[in-house]
Amino acid sequence: TIEETTFEEQIIRLTNERFTVPELLFHPSDIGIHQCGIPETVVTAIASTPEILHPHLYSNILLTGGSAMLPGFRDRIYSDIRALSPSEYDVNVYQPPDPITWAWRGGSSLCNAREFDLLRVTRKEFQECGLELCRRRFNLDADLTLIKQKATRSKATKLSS
C-alpha cells in the first residue's frame, strides 16, 4: 500500500513482497518468465566454456551489483550452484564489501596495473594461437591434472564404499 505524506515523499509498506521479489532472481518462472534463475545461468555459462576452465570458474564466482546486498544472497547462490555443479569442482562464491561498485573498481584497477598485458589474451592472439595460448600463459594443464586426480580418487572411494 502507498501512503502519500507530501508531494515529495511516499511511504511504501512491504509485507511478504520483501521475500517474494528476491525469490524471482532464483525462480523467474514464478511470474511466467521462462528463463533460468541466477544459479542455473551461472552453471550454464560455465558449461559453455572449454572444460579446462571449469574448475577456475567454479572456484572464482564473484557477486556484484545491488542484489548481492540482499540478506543471505551469497549463501543461497553458493548452495544452489553447489547442488548443480559437478562434485569434483570446488565452488567458491565471493561477496565484496561494496558489491555495487566492485566490478567497476576491479576493472579499473586491472586495466591500470603494469601486469595487465600478462593477464590477458587479445582477440588477435586467441585467433592465432587458440586455447593453447591460454593453457601456456595461465598454466591450465597443471590445474586440470589436479582436478582429474581428485575426480579419480573420488570415484575410487565411491566404488569401494
Side-chain angles (χ1 to χ4, degrees):
T1 64
I2 298 176
E3 297 177 16
E4 290 193 31
T5 56
T6 68
F7 288 110
E8 297 87 30
E9 181 180 297
Q10 291 182 343
I11 297 173
I12 300 175
R13 297 192 191 280
L14 299 175
T15 56
N16 66 340
E17 293 90 352
R18 293 183 316 145
F19 308 104
T20 57
V21 172
E23 187 62 25
L24 296 177
L25 297 171
F26 297 91
H27 298 287
S29 61
D30 289 352
I31 59 167
I33 297 174
H34 302 290
Q35 294 180 353
C36 296
I38 293 173
E40 293 88 358
T41 302
V42 170
V43 171
T44 301
I46 292 173
S48 72
T49 65
E51 186 177 354
I52 195 168
L53 299 176
H54 294 187
H56 300 286
L57 296 173
Y58 276 115
S59 67
N60 289 291
I61 298 169
L62 177 69
L63 301 177
T64 61
S67 297
M69 297 176 69
L70 292 167
F73 189 76
R74 191 206 74 79
D75 295 336
R76 173 73 181 276
I77 291 287
Y78 170 80
S79 64
D80 286 7
I81 291 175
R82 177 72 279 171
L84 295 168
S85 62
S87 60
E88 63 266 19
Y89 298 143
D90 291 329
V91 173
N92 293 308
V93 178
Y94 301 99
Q95 181 175 346
D98 182 10
I100 292 174
T101 61
W102 197 261
W104 184 88
R105 288 180 192 207
S108 175
S109 296
L110 180 62
C111 289
N112 291 317
R114 284 182 285 156
E115 303 85 13
F116 181 62
D117 287 339
L118 301 174
L119 301 172
R120 67 179 173 93
V121 173
T122 67
R123 178 184 169 112
K124 182 179 178 187
E125 289 173 328
F126 190 82
Q127 287 175 332
E128 290 174 6
C129 304
L131 189 58
E132 186 56 37
L133 176 62
C134 296
R135 284 188 167 120
R136 282 180 299 174
R137 187 168 292 174
F138 306 120
N139 199 21
L140 296 178
D141 289 326
D143 293 337
L144 184 60
T145 301
L146 293 174
I147 295 295
K148 287 180 179 178
Q149 289 172 350
K150 184 177 177 183
T152 302
R153 284 194 302 268
S154 176
K155 288 178 186 174
T157 303
K158 288 178 184 177
L159 291 174
S160 65
S161 298

